[in-house]
Amino acid sequence: MEFLKTTIEYLKGVGPQRAETLNKEVRIFTFNDLLHYFPFRYVDRSIVHDIVDVPAIDTDVQLKGKITSVKEYGAARKKRLVAVLKDETFSIELIWFKGIKWVKPTLVVGKSYLVFGKANQFGSKWNIAHPDIDLVDAVKLIPGMLQPIYHSGEKLTSKGLNTRGFERIVSNLLTVSKGKISESLTPQLISEFKLTDRDTAFQDIHRPINSSALKNALFRLKFEELFFLQLAINKQKINTQRKSKGYVFSKVGVFFNQFYKTHLPFELTGAQKRVVKEIRKDLGSGLHMNRLLQGDVGSGKTLVAVLNILIAIDNDFQSCLMAPTEILATQHFHTVKELLNGMDINVKLLTGSSKKKERSVIHDELINGSISLLIGTHAVLEDVVKFKNLGLAIIDEQHRFGVAQRSKLWKKNTFPPHILVMTATPIPRTLAMTFYGDLDVSLIDEMPPGRKEIKTIHRFDTNRLKVFQFIEDEIKKGRQVYIVYPLIEESKTLDYKDLMDGYDSISRRFPLPEYRVSIVHGKMKSADKELEMQKFAKGETQIMVATTVIEVGVNVPNASVMIVESAEKFGLSQLHQLRGRVGRGAEQSFCVLMTSYKLSVDARARMETMVRTNDGFEIAEVDLRMRGPGDIMGTQQSGIIDLKLADLAKDNQLIILARDAAQKILKNDPDLTSTENLIIRKELIRQMKLKPNWSRIS
Ligand code: ADP
Ligand code: MG
């Protein structure tokens, strides 16, 4: 290990100048850093093209020929170096604009070279700019031999560190480090998962002799990455559980029982019952609850939240329920008020638009303990909001609350309150394991009975008249309709124009007095938004034209048609959320995705996925594959984990293997103190030091 900490400057072929560039450009400081600078792809160098066959498209080709001339043209910054390569079939120009002083001495007229790069055509002339070039004698063309390709850049290239330059210094490194790359996994793990040893894996990932060696090296190194990631996350979880004593909610008392017996409007689904049980167990355990509740839109998470709040109240603790938007918080407030109607429980709503006077009443009542449940937006997190005894915090639609905000909650009481995070965005299992590995996960995987599958249809804009007719027919049956327009930050003004134009044409097509059309968008005052929402909820208006402000949580069971305009502009999970606004009543519901005729491959795939399935998890998996984990979890959170080789979207099986392996080890040896685990303990500590964020995961 010590050897690998050697400063990169001291590697043969590097020196102080290149070292500085490596530091600055790619953050390579030590031997170890360079060892982890992996090729991003490999090319098969055993195939040689005839120059006459060079394809016109942008693909790599390998040529073999003699250099017939080497000339410099232009002066100073415009200088370029041109060499002509000739084989039996044709000739081609090799051009360099940078690093001329490195390259020129290596080109000797009359000698044979192997040349590798992408060819371009200029008029009748062909050339390859900045090719890799080697003397034929210096390269052994072994069938199946793979050449690594490394990321480089202008500054690196100007210092001779193009992909070939990297290949050379890495090769020097591998030569001196052979046998000095120490193992980081136990012999048990290595034999259980048939892993290549670490030393060989590093050799093979940089210099694979064939594709199976490469495959094994990748498997080994990806496993290692994921294993230590899972080890860190799961270790973190153990530590948090130990440190954070939780309030014990031992009683199931009057409020819970009263509600269960006389107020519960329907039988709980099996999944709801199971989840309530899981949560009750946490709350009674004496440990701090940190739980993620996942359930598709409409699966009945609100009721689960309410039952837990009642347990808190039964144990003389206050609760808060937070939602990401005012509309949603307000809606929760009304839903909960109605559910708890007739029970002696003080529930208050606090949002950005609460009046000063209301606020000060709320602040007082929180401090003196008369409020049992505070529902609100981010406003709840403000420092002026102080509780007498906050015991439970529930966060709805969590992906809009960052980690930092979660941690603010912790400070609202002597012990952190129990935390339940509810999300309707199904997070693929492997992502949840990684990003919420510190949380326990409960799943509502069953819909309340009697729900009809929503029918989803994709229509082009050219069919608009038919869609309008369909809307008319549904309204005649007594249903209500959402029409949603995209609102994308970058094209806000354009989007508002679309929304307003749409509103105008819908109002003309569905005129007063027969029809009433509501509109809700982000530029409206929240009181006005609220008023329109209420009108729609009460059935006073039949059509709701809106931006995605209605995306999450809104519940109007009589609304059975969701029209999404410019559906191609929405991501999959957003479309699924929007669709979840309908299908809440007994009627057959529909979702119509309107798009222009021209669609990108991705957009088409999104529409097809939506039409094919209603299953939120299936949609989430497709979404993950299409967008990658960073986009889904937000950059802020993906910064926690920097995986160099493993891919959270693609390496599902491996993530599960690594997680299970890490958990098994921690189960028997939670502090990794046994002699056999010393090796992984050392590596874990080393990695934790490199990634200070890890300790902030929860
Ligand atoms: P979400 O999980 O999307 O937040 P909600 O909690 O808003 O879902 O519930 C969706 C609808 O299903 C609500 O109208 C709610 O009253 C209803 N609901 C919840 N649980 C049940 C149940 N066990 N049986 C029947 N309807 C239920
Ligand atoms: Mg909800």
Side-chain angles (χ1 to χ4, degrees):
M1 209 67 239
E2 289 309 310
F3 171 75
L4 292 179
K5 280 187 191 159
T6 313
T7 313
I8 198 69
E9 181 183 339
Y10 301 113
L11 181 66
K12 186 179 156 210
V14 179
Q17 275 196 18
R18 282 182 174 172
E20 199 188 323
T21 312
L22 286 169
N23 294 172
K24 278 205 190 118
E25 296 297 308
V26 276
R27 306 190 51 75
I28 293 176
F29 297 91
T30 62
F31 285 10
N32 194 49
D33 294 337
L34 182 60
L35 210 51
H36 284 85
Y37 193 74
F38 299 117
F40 69 100
R41 66 191 178 92
Y42 302 82
V43 290
D44 186 341
R45 291 293 303 263
S46 57
I47 300 161
V48 177
H49 287 81
D50 285 342
I51 297 180
V52 76
D53 290 337
V54 165
I57 36 170
D58 200 27
T59 46
D60 290 325
V61 286
Q62 179 165 250
L63 309 170
K64 188 158 93 177
K66 277 199 173 76
I67 298 260
T68 58
S69 80
V70 180
K71 284 200 184 97
E72 274 187 61
Y73 296 91
R77 299 179 133 260
K78 297 224 166 121
K79 212 148 69 169
R80 67 182 200 278
L81 177 70
V82 179
V84 176
L85 183 83
K86 201 169 175 329
D87 68 5
E88 286 91 64
T89 65
F90 209 57
S91 66
I92 191 166
E93 287 186 341
L94 312 176
I95 304 182
W96 288 265
F97 303 97
K98 299 214 168 65
I100 293 176
K101 84 172 180 229
W102 297 93
V103 180
K104 200 175 173 193
T106 65
L107 304 176
V108 181
V109 174
K111 285 209 170 174
S112 287
Y113 290 84
L114 265 178
V115 171
F116 182 85
K118 283 184 173 51
N120 281 302
Q121 195 176 6
F122 274 99
S124 63
K125 276 191 170 171
W126 287 89
N127 70 51
I128 299 181
H130 290 262
D132 296 337
I133 181 158
D134 296 281
L135 280 167
V136 165
D137 304 336
V139 184
K140 267 190 255 133
L141 291 185
I142 302 161
M145 184 181 79
L146 296 171
Q147 176 157 38
I149 307 290
Y150 295 90
H151 280 296
S152 179
E154 224 174 85
K155 292 225 173 71
L156 289 158
T157 302
S158 76
K159 289 279 189 317
L161 290 172
N162 58 2
T163 173
R164 296 309 296 282
F166 270 107
E167 204 185 330
R168 272 189 291 271
I169 60 171
V170 169
S171 177
N172 293 342
L173 175 61
L174 292 175
T175 309
V176 291
S177 59
K178 192 154 180 52
K180 294 198 174 105
I181 301 173
S182 54
E183 190 46 72
S184 62
L185 298 172
T186 60
Q188 289 89 324
L189 283 168
I190 293 186
S191 78
E192 183 178 350
F193 296 100
K194 300 194 176 56
L195 301 171
T196 307
D197 72 83
R198 197 154 181 265
D199 196 52
T200 313
F202 274 108
Q203 297 283 340
D204 286 353
I205 198 160
H206 288 289
R207 283 196 297 204
I209 40 164
N210 55 42
S211 59
S212 96
L214 176 61
K215 212 172 123 206
N216 291 337
L218 269 172
F219 184 82
R220 147 79 212 209
L221 293 170
K222 280 183 182 184
F223 179 89
E224 177 179 329
E225 262 184 12
L226 293 167
F227 173 78
F228 283 105
L229 175 61
Q230 288 298 331
L231 200 65
I233 291 168
N234 284 281
K235 182 83 185 77
Q236 178 73 32
K237 187 168 156 186
I238 293 173
N239 292 350
T240 330
Q241 277 175 352
R242 274 189 196 155
K243 267 207 305 275
S244 52
K245 280 227 178 74
Y247 298 110
V248 183
F249 293 2
S250 54
K251 284 182 274 185
V252 168
V254 207
F255 286 114
F256 186 92
N257 286 326
Q258 185 190 354
F259 181 80
Y260 211 92
K261 288 195 189 107
T262 62
H263 280 68
L264 196 58
F266 24 63
E267 176 83 0
L268 293 182
T269 63
Q272 283 170 321
K273 280 186 194 157
R274 174 169 43 77
V275 167
V276 171
K277 225 182 254 166
E278 284 166 2
I279 296 170
R280 262 173 63 176
K281 204 169 145 213
D282 283 356
L283 296 178
S285 72
L287 294 177
H288 173 238
M289 175 170 81
N290 218 356
R291 190 171 277 279
L292 177 70
L293 173 57
Q294 286 196 55
D296 210 344
V297 272
S299 61
K301 294 184 292 295
T302 317
L303 202 58
V304 171
V306 167
L307 287 166
N308 287 290
I309 289 163
L310 291 170
I311 297 177
I313 299 174
D314 276 336
N315 289 275
D316 297 321
F317 281 95
Q318 293 168 301
S319 303
C320 70
L321 171 57
M322 291 196 298
T325 66
E326 244 179 88
I327 291 184
L328 196 49
T330 311
Q331 176 143 9
H332 271 323
F333 179 68
H334 293 305
T335 311
V336 172
K337 283 286 266 193
E338 191 162 322
L339 282 170
L340 301 183
N341 189 21
M343 293 175 74
D344 184 22
I345 296 174
N346 185 358
V347 184
K348 286 277 157 70
L349 175 69
L350 179 69
T351 69
S353 53
S354 301
K355 300 267 160 13
K356 217 172 157 194
K357 235 168 89 189
E358 289 170 65
R359 271 171 198 262
S360 75
V361 174
I362 289 175
H363 292 166
D364 291 347
E365 290 186 347
L366 282 172
I367 283 287
N368 72 28
S370 91
I371 290 181
S372 294
L373 170 60
L374 182 66
I375 297 178
T377 54
H378 289 74
V380 171
L381 294 173
E382 285 166 20
D383 289 335
V384 289
V385 181
K386 294 197 173 72
F387 293 79
K388 181 180 178 208
N389 201 4
L390 181 66
L392 172 68
I394 301 182
I395 306 173
D396 197 9
E397 308 300 348
Q398 129 307 309
H399 63 296
R400 302 189 179 191
F401 280 96
V403 175
Q405 285 159 326
R406 256 203 275 164
S407 75
K408 269 198 163 181
L409 279 168
W410 286 52
K411 305 199 183 88
K412 297 256 176 210
N413 208 347
T414 355
F415 285 169
H418 292 296
I419 290 180
L420 181 67
V421 170
M422 305 198 293
T423 176
T425 314
I427 302 164
R429 204 156 89 92
T430 52
L431 274 200
M433 252 176 226
T434 310
F435 290 95
Y436 300 109
D438 62 322
L439 303 183
D440 295 302
V441 179
S442 287
L443 191 62
I444 308 188
D445 51 3
E446 178 187 355
M447 284 290 179
R451 292 278 168 81
K452 287 209 181 75
E453 185 110 315
I454 302 163
K455 286 204 175 111
T456 303
I457 313 153
H458 173 207
R459 289 281 177 267
F460 294 118
D461 293 338
T462 41
N463 285 317
R464 185 169 306 278
L465 292 183
K466 279 195 193 141
V467 173
F468 279 170
Q469 185 56 50
F470 171 70
I471 294 175
E472 186 182 324
D473 295 345
E474 288 299 303
I475 293 177
K476 289 234 167 81
K477 288 187 208 159
R479 316 278 187 269
Q480 289 167 281
V481 179
Y482 293 104
I483 305 179
V484 174
Y485 285 80
L487 183 57
I488 296 149
E489 284 303 313
E490 304 89 70
S491 57
K492 247 187 175 167
T493 18
L494 260 179
D495 283 343
Y496 271 114
K497 189 173 174 306
D498 286 352
L499 174 76
M500 286 314 183
D501 289 352
Y503 177 67
D504 285 345
S505 75
I506 288 152
S507 303
R508 256 179 277 124
R509 174 63 176 74
F510 296 96
L512 291 165
E514 198 178 343
Y515 300 98
R516 274 162 228 274
V517 183
S518 280
I519 181 164
V520 168
H521 59 76
K523 279 188 182 169
M524 290 163 65
K525 286 213 190 77
S526 40
D528 296 339
K529 274 193 261 184
E530 181 53 26
L531 190 71
E532 284 303 312
M533 277 309 303
Q534 289 309 326
K535 276 205 241 166
F536 186 69
K538 286 187 202 136
E540 290 167 15
T541 58
Q542 297 98 340
I543 300 177
M544 162 65 71
V545 176
T547 53
T548 46
V549 290
I550 62 143
E551 182 187 340
V552 285
V554 183
N555 191 16
V556 180
N558 191 49
S560 62
V561 180
M562 166 63 63
I563 314 275
V564 184
E565 292 283 349
S566 304
E568 70 268 33
K569 293 193 185 171
F570 292 91
L572 263 180
S573 66
Q574 232 181 346
L575 288 172
H576 181 63
Q577 290 298 322
L578 285 170
R579 177 166 62 184
R581 296 308 106 215
V582 298
R584 304 185 150 245
E587 308 305 334
Q588 176 61 55
S589 291
F590 300 90
C591 173
V592 184
L593 306 171
M594 305 287 297
T595 71
S596 67
Y597 193 68
K598 263 195 173 162
L599 286 180
S600 68
V601 178
D602 263 21
R604 195 172 293 274
R606 289 200 295 274
M607 299 310 128
E608 282 165 10
T609 306
M610 287 296 293
V611 170
R612 185 185 72 238
T613 179
N614 267 297
D615 178 342
F617 277 93
E618 189 179 339
I619 289 170
E621 296 283 353
V622 176
D623 199 27
L624 174 62
R625 257 177 281 135
M626 287 176 57
R627 286 197 299 156
D631 267 7
I632 292 180
M633 306 312 296
T635 42
Q636 180 205 2
Q637 299 197 348
S638 65
I640 293 170
I641 293 145
D642 94 71
L643 293 170
K644 289 203 162 77
L645 291 170
D647 182 335
L648 291 177
K650 295 186 186 126
D651 294 318
N652 285 14
Q653 301 291 3
L654 203 52
I655 294 170
I656 292 167
L657 279 187
R659 201 264 323 239
D660 291 350
Q663 286 183 346
K664 196 168 127 196
I665 287 174
L666 287 172
K667 193 164 174 234
N668 296 322
D669 184 12
D671 293 308
L672 302 175
T673 44
S674 73
T675 358
E676 65 179 53
N677 288 330
L678 202 64
I679 187 169
I680 53 181
R681 180 188 159 87
K682 252 174 71 186
E683 176 65 14
L684 182 67
I685 290 170
R686 194 186 69 79
Q687 293 206 17
M688 293 284 240
K689 272 193 205 136
L690 293 177
K691 297 180 180 145
N693 297 352
W694 274 7
S695 58
R696 284 193 270 118
I697 283 177
S698 72

